[in-house]
C-alpha cells in the first residue's frame, strides 16, 4: 500500500511541476504582461488552446483609472525547449455585466 502512496505522490509532483513551472500561461504571461504594462492590473490568465509547439494564453486585465475589463490572447511558441512570447493574437473589451 505504501508503494501506491509514493507513486501517487510522485505523479502529483510531476503534474504540479508541469502546471506551475512549464505552463507559460501560469507564469510567463504574467511576467511578460507586467513588464510590458506595469501599471495595468492582471485579473486572471489561463491556457485556452495548446499543443507541444504552441499555446494560446488568455489574460484579463484592467487599465489604470478605467472600470472596463480587457482581454488579450497571447501566443507562445516552444523554441529550443523554452516557451517564448510570439505575438498578441487578439485584444478585446469584455462586455459589462450588471
Amino acid at each position: 500500500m505504501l508503494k501506491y502512496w509514493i507513486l501517487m505522490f510522485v505523479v502529483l509532483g510531476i503534474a504540479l511541476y508541469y502546471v506551475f513551472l512549464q505552463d507559460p500561461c501560469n507564469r510567463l504571461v504574467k511576467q511578460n504582461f507586467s513588464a510590458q504594462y506595469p501599471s495595468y492590473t492582471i485579473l486572471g490568465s489561463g491556457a485556452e488552446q495548446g499543443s507541444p509547439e504552441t499555446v494560446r494564453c488568455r489574460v484579463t486585465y484592467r487599465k489604470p483609472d478605467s472600470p472596463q475589463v480587457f482581454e488579450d490572447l497571447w501566443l507562445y511558441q516552444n523554441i529550443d525547449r523554452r516557451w517564448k512570447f510570439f505575438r498578441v493574437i487578439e485584444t478585446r473589451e469584455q462586455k459589462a455585466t450588471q
Side-chain angles (χ1 to χ4, degrees):
M1 185 72 172
L2 181 62
K3 292 178 190 178
Y4 294 113
W5 283 105
I6 292 172
L7 179 63
M8 195 163 52
F9 179 75
V10 169
V11 169
L12 180 63
I14 291 170
L16 289 174
Y17 172 78
Y18 172 76
V19 169
F20 291 107
L21 297 179
Q22 297 297 317
D23 180 13
C25 296
N26 183 45
R27 181 179 46 92
L28 286 179
V29 76
K30 290 179 183 177
Q31 289 175 354
N32 293 342
F33 189 88
S34 294
Q36 192 168 354
Y37 306 106
S39 61
Y40 288 20
T41 302
I42 298 174
L43 302 175
S45 67
E48 180 180 271
Q49 186 178 19
S51 71
E53 295 84 25
T54 62
V55 66
R56 294 178 180 189
C57 302
R58 190 162 296 279
V59 60
T60 308
Y61 60 94
R62 184 173 287 129
K63 295 179 181 180
D65 301 325
S66 173
Q68 183 63 43
V69 176
F70 296 89
E71 193 172 69
D72 286 359
L73 189 59
W74 288 33
L75 181 67
Y76 281 82
Q77 291 185 329
N78 194 348
I79 300 170
D80 298 328
R81 299 179 134 193
R82 296 188 68 206
W83 288 106
K84 295 183 182 179
F85 172 72
F86 185 65
R87 67 185 175 105
V88 176
I89 298 172
E90 173 186 348
T91 299
R92 66 180 182 183
E93 292 182 28
Q94 285 188 339
K95 293 183 180 179
T97 57
Q98 298 185 7

